[in-house]
Amino acid sequence: MIEVTEATATAGALDRLSNEGVSIWLDDLSRKRIASGNLAELVETKNVVGVTTNPSIFQAAIGSGEGYEEQLADLAVRGVTVDEAVRMMTTADVRSAADILHSVYTATGGRDGWVSIEVDPRLAHHTAATIAEAKQLAWLVDRPNVMIKIPATRAGLPAITEVIGLGISVNVTLIFSLERYREVIDAYLAGLEKAAARGLDLSTIHSVASFFVSRVDAEIDKRLTVLGTDAALALKGRAALANARLAYAAYEEVFAGDRWTVLTGAGANKQRPLWASTGVKDPAYKDTLYVDDLVAPGTVNTMPEATLNATADHGDITGDTVTGGYARARADLAAVEALGISYDEVVTRLEDEGVAKFAVAWQDLLDAVTKSLMSKGVDAE
């Protein structure tokens, strides 16, 4: 926790958050945001030091067509397939964003300044294809500050190890369970060990583990509401924070162990926890809940712009709100289980739904681009 001085007491919420060791990343990207100068402005004025994307974000951006007309026309003339067209557009946006954030990457020694791009979500259950896609994306973007997003599915774990082992930085996404999170950390450490065996410079390899927050409350709160008892309703809005805080406890434990000591001696970087899905789903909750109550050093909070603006306006950043809450977190999850709500069933459902939602968004994007290419007189294959 930072020392509270007169200067820090009067600093804005985003400054206080950054001073607590939380990296603020923007969970959004579009051609319009890049071309208008908005992304550069957020870096300059709102402490944004990274960008995350996902299939839903690209579907919203490219599906609108705004800013992509000229590139779509060129792709149509070339007669490219719809898959190639989508990758050309998404990697172009990520490349431009990486260039905007390169100064942050340099100034922080590679800690921040990252832009993430996700492997095709339809490959989430195919290890070899995920590895091949990750290598291709890293080559296409060709920037030192790009992270390839790989989902934390069972098939994704060995892909994470292999891709890290090749020296490619990775944002592991769609993590919901504490057990899976520990497996993700293990996959990262195994990847670093592979990279070291290959003689690679471990200091150039970075990773974050995207632990999803609001979706946990949305699913568990729904079940608590159905139960409707006073005990059940009193637990609403507590499971997601408990889950994330216990993930941070696991992070502290593993990255203080003997296995990590060997790797850090070789120059390795910790895989930081990233709080994802931090926009609240329930309007009854404060819109900065998953920012104010998840402040801990060495973390990343990736926010949609509405949450970023809300935090700047009325975020309540008072110091570390994670490390002192492990006992309460365990008690909250135990209380949910005691009511007959299965933690394992919930997190498995959320992982499956998360993969499925991204696959649907990706298909919607492919369909929209297909129509655009065909409207220009080219049949997209």
Side-chain angles (χ1 to χ4, degrees):
M1 184 183 299
I2 61 173
E3 179 184 357
V4 177
T5 64
E6 182 178 352
T8 58
T10 58
L14 295 178
D15 286 336
R16 295 198 301 274
L17 189 61
S18 297
N19 290 338
E20 287 289 343
V22 179
S23 293
I24 300 169
W25 290 9
L26 178 70
D27 193 26
D28 190 57
L29 186 63
S30 68
R31 186 77 47 94
K32 180 181 179 182
R33 189 183 291 281
I34 293 166
S36 68
N38 173 262
L39 177 58
E41 181 183 0
L42 292 177
V43 172
E44 181 68 25
T45 65
K46 289 195 172 174
N47 296 44
V48 169
V49 292
V51 172
T52 50
T53 67
N54 62 47
S56 297
I57 286 170
F58 278 131
Q59 191 277 329
I62 299 174
S64 73
E66 187 173 3
Y68 298 92
E69 297 88 349
E70 183 177 350
Q71 188 177 14
L72 274 167
D74 290 343
L75 292 167
V77 170
R78 289 174 52 205
V80 302
T81 66
V82 64
D83 289 276
E84 183 180 356
V86 167
R87 273 311 182 202
M88 290 301 99
M89 288 187 286
T90 57
T91 54
D93 283 357
V94 168
R95 190 179 306 112
S96 296
D99 288 343
I100 292 170
L101 283 153
H102 189 266
S103 60
V104 175
Y105 173 77
T106 301
T108 61
R111 177 180 176 83
D112 286 306
W114 293 94
V115 184
S116 299
I117 184 169
E118 191 145 356
V119 297
D120 186 331
R122 297 172 298 180
L123 306 179
H125 302 297
H126 304 280
T127 301
T130 294
I131 294 168
E133 171 95 343
K135 291 162 62 178
Q136 176 73 356
L137 285 174
W139 178 83
L140 277 172
V141 177
D142 192 26
R143 293 295 185 271
N145 53 326
V146 63
M147 280 188 179
I148 309 303
K149 292 181 77 172
I150 297 176
T153 57
R154 180 62 57 193
L157 295 173
I160 293 160
T161 294
E162 182 59 26
V163 173
I164 289 290
L166 294 171
I168 298 171
S169 296
V170 172
N171 176 342
V172 184
T173 188
L174 290 175
I175 307 172
F176 296 95
S177 82
L178 295 168
E179 179 182 4
R180 183 56 54 86
Y181 175 54
R182 285 183 176 273
E183 292 172 338
V184 165
I185 298 176
D186 183 72
Y188 174 62
L189 298 182
L192 290 176
E193 289 159 354
K194 277 196 169 190
R198 289 170 172 154
L200 300 180
D201 181 359
L202 300 191
S203 70
T204 66
I205 305 170
H206 291 258
S207 183
V208 293
S210 295
F211 203 86
F212 279 55
V213 184
S214 65
R215 296 189 194 182
V216 173
D217 268 345
E219 183 63 30
I220 290 181
D221 282 1
K222 179 173 63 178
R223 300 172 187 224
L224 293 170
T225 299
V226 169
L227 290 174
T229 64
D230 289 344
L233 297 178
L235 287 168
K236 290 182 66 175
R238 287 162 59 175
L241 293 173
N243 203 36
R245 286 167 177 159
L246 293 179
Y248 191 80
Y251 160 78
E252 288 187 306
E253 175 191 333
V254 176
F255 287 102
D258 293 342
R259 188 180 182 189
W260 174 245
T261 299
V262 173
L263 288 165
T264 194
N269 299 291
K270 291 180 180 179
Q271 182 188 57
R272 290 184 290 166
L274 178 151
W275 310 131
S277 184
T278 55
V280 299
K281 300 287 193 288
D282 189 333
Y285 299 154
K286 184 183 178 184
D287 52 3
T288 61
L289 173 66
Y290 303 124
V291 179
D292 298 347
D293 287 7
L294 287 176
V295 177
T299 60
V300 178
N301 195 309
T302 186
M303 310 177 198
E305 189 170 17
T307 304
L308 177 69
N309 291 337
T311 301
D313 182 67
H314 52 262
D316 185 19
I317 310 301
T318 58
D320 186 335
T321 51
V322 172
T323 57
Y326 301 152
R328 162 75 180 271
R330 293 187 185 94
D332 283 347
L333 290 187
V336 169
E337 285 273 1
L339 292 174
I341 298 172
S342 168
Y343 174 86
D344 289 340
E345 194 274 326
V346 166
V347 294
T348 298
R349 174 187 290 269
L350 289 172
E351 179 184 305
D352 291 343
E353 288 180 350
V355 171
K357 286 177 181 178
F358 280 171
V360 168
W362 194 255
Q363 188 59 53
D364 288 344
L365 173 57
L366 293 173
D367 292 343
V369 173
T370 297
K371 290 180 180 179
S372 295
L373 293 174
M374 291 181 68
S375 72
K376 300 178 188 307
V378 176
D379 291 330
E381 296 178 4

